[in-house]
Amino acid sequence: MPRRKPWTERQVGRSQEGNPPIGDVFGRREAGPDSDDMYIVRTIPGSRAIKTYRCPGCDHEIPPGVAHIVAWAIDGGEDDRRHWHRGCWNGRRTRRITRRWS
């Protein structure tokens, strides 16, 4: 008897409630630096980090090849994305943001 697959092609990529799957592909939701707003957060592996960014948490550069976090407010758009060092994002509630953007 052939083995039966646990998921059909129609079920792959869907959660049970019909919402998009939660995970790094679409981002996860976390409280932001001000704790008032919710942010969508994605982890960028070092192999996909190809540009230099400036972290708003420490105001240092994130060079190409370094894994980091991309976060933006849920009600914001693509222009609101900010690239953070993982440690700066994890410590966002215990210290102030050193760089403000307009």
Side-chain angles (χ1 to χ4, degrees):
M1 177 182 273
R3 202 172 87 188
R4 187 173 163 209
K5 294 182 181 179
W7 295 96
T8 65
E9 289 182 23
R10 290 175 285 155
Q11 291 174 324
V12 173
R14 262 195 272 163
S15 68
Q16 293 176 356
E17 297 86 30
N19 296 327
I22 297 173
D24 253 4
V25 175
F26 296 108
R28 58 191 182 274
R29 294 179 181 196
E30 294 184 20
D34 299 329
S35 295
D36 294 335
D37 298 328
M38 289 300 288
Y39 278 63
I40 297 174
V41 180
R42 282 190 194 165
T43 302
I44 305 297
S47 61
R48 293 199 47 221
I50 57 174
K51 291 171 49 178
T52 300
Y53 298 100
R54 185 162 299 273
C55 175
C58 66
D59 202 28
H60 291 151
E61 287 186 350
I62 303 171
V66 174
H68 60 279
I69 300 288
V70 177
W72 65 95
I74 288 178
D75 57 349
E78 286 187 14
D79 295 336
D80 296 331
R81 291 182 298 183
R82 297 294 174 245
H83 296 254
W84 295 68
H85 291 107
R86 188 177 314 238
C88 294
W89 179 256
N90 291 339
R92 67 193 177 277
R93 293 189 196 113
T94 59
R95 62 184 203 184
R96 303 285 301 156
I97 296 175
T98 57
R99 183 178 180 133
R100 292 285 180 184
W101 51 85
S102 54

